[in-house]
Amino acid sequence: MNPTEQFELQRIAPYFINGVDVSFTNASLYMLLAASAAIILTIFATSKRALVPGRGQALAEVLYEFVANTVRSTAGKEGMRFFPFVFTLFTFILMSNLIGLVPYTYSLSSQIVLTFAFAAFVLLLVILYGLYRHGFGFLRLFVPHGVPAPVLVILIPIEIISFLSRPVSLSVRLFANILAGHITLAVFGGLAVMLLGAGSWAALAPVPVLGVVVLYALELLVNCLQAFVFTVLTCVYLNDAIHPGH
């Protein structure tokens, strides 16, 4: 059994434009599923708008307040103008992570291309809004206050490199955690199957099965936590665009 086979891109509808592959793949399908599931569940949960909310509406309100409080606590009240973007990003990542935990589905967050695209878009948004709101004053982000001029010669390049490396750290954190978790689940599951077919060793098969159950519960927590971490760091970076001073 190959534990990395589950991450392979497969063309569902091959299509090329001037030699460029723009085929509809399994990743494209699950992106549509994750987005559709998030939209449908949100609309369904908030359609009644009852004074005494049901379970669906209560869950939607909890998620709304959770993300709203995260934005306020990290980016301030002014950061609420980015709430629709942050809430959409959070729900999409969370939904894609949860769908990826269903056996024989596809995990979108295990693709570094997707996670890096999200992270790069966040950085681009920070730069564009920072320049739009503060002009060249946005560059104060790279100049720490109270630091002697000779030291700034060293610190400013470090600050710039640190800023430009944010998409890498943000994307790899999500990608690596999801990838490692799914590989571990596949390895333990494959071990259980191998032990069942090993004759005298079949009695040990419940051990990796129990490990799969425990790891699956842990993965559920990790998948939700990684969506939250990605959202919090996005808010922190947006705060730099709103308040660029150190």
Side-chain angles (χ1 to χ4, degrees):
M1 297 181 63
N2 183 2
T4 62
E5 186 178 357
Q6 57 183 312
F7 308 116
E8 293 180 358
L9 286 175
Q10 299 176 359
R11 294 185 181 92
I12 298 176
Y15 194 74
F16 296 85
I17 299 179
N18 295 329
V20 179
D21 189 354
V22 291
S23 302
F24 187 82
T25 65
N26 51 348
S28 307
L29 174 62
Y30 280 96
M31 278 190 278
L32 287 176
L33 288 176
S36 300
I39 293 172
I40 292 172
L41 290 176
T42 303
I43 293 176
F44 176 77
T46 58
S47 58
K48 294 183 179 179
R49 299 182 182 180
L51 184 61
V52 180
R55 294 179 180 178
Q57 183 178 337
L59 178 60
E61 291 177 357
V62 168
L63 287 177
Y64 179 94
E65 286 299 324
F66 174 75
V67 177
N69 290 333
T70 300
V71 175
R72 292 192 197 98
S73 62
T74 54
K77 292 183 179 179
E78 192 174 347
M80 286 300 292
R81 66 179 58 190
F82 295 103
F83 173 78
F85 167 70
V86 175
F87 185 77
T88 301
L89 189 65
F90 172 75
T91 53
F92 180 83
I93 294 176
L94 178 64
M95 192 60 62
S96 62
N97 287 352
L98 294 178
I99 290 176
L101 287 175
V102 179
Y104 301 106
T105 58
Y106 189 81
S107 177
L108 290 172
S109 298
S110 65
Q111 296 296 319
I112 186 63
V113 174
L114 181 66
T115 59
F116 184 80
F118 284 157
F121 184 82
V122 170
L123 182 70
L124 181 63
L125 179 62
V126 169
I127 294 174
L128 293 179
Y129 183 77
L131 291 175
Y132 166 76
R133 192 175 189 281
H134 303 283
F136 288 106
F138 173 68
L139 299 179
R140 295 196 307 269
L141 178 65
F142 307 112
V143 184
H145 288 306
V147 178
V151 181
L152 287 177
V153 177
I154 300 174
L155 284 184
I156 290 178
I158 294 176
E159 289 287 338
I160 294 174
I161 294 173
S162 175
F163 180 81
L164 295 178
S165 65
R166 286 178 176 181
V168 177
S169 61
L170 187 60
S171 59
V172 169
R173 182 183 292 106
L174 176 59
F175 155 76
N177 278 279
I178 303 303
L179 182 75
H182 281 70
I183 289 178
T184 305
L185 284 173
V187 169
F188 271 78
L191 180 60
V193 174
M194 291 172 61
L195 289 175
L196 284 173
S200 59
W201 293 95
L204 296 177
V207 176
V209 171
L210 180 61
V212 169
V213 174
V214 174
L215 285 173
Y216 198 89
L218 181 62
E219 272 301 292
L220 180 61
L221 174 63
V222 169
N223 278 257
C224 295
L225 183 62
Q226 287 305 313
F228 169 69
V229 170
F230 198 99
T231 303
V232 169
L233 291 177
T234 297
C235 293
V236 171
Y237 298 158
L238 289 172
N239 181 61
D240 289 339
I242 301 171
H243 311 101
H246 278 250

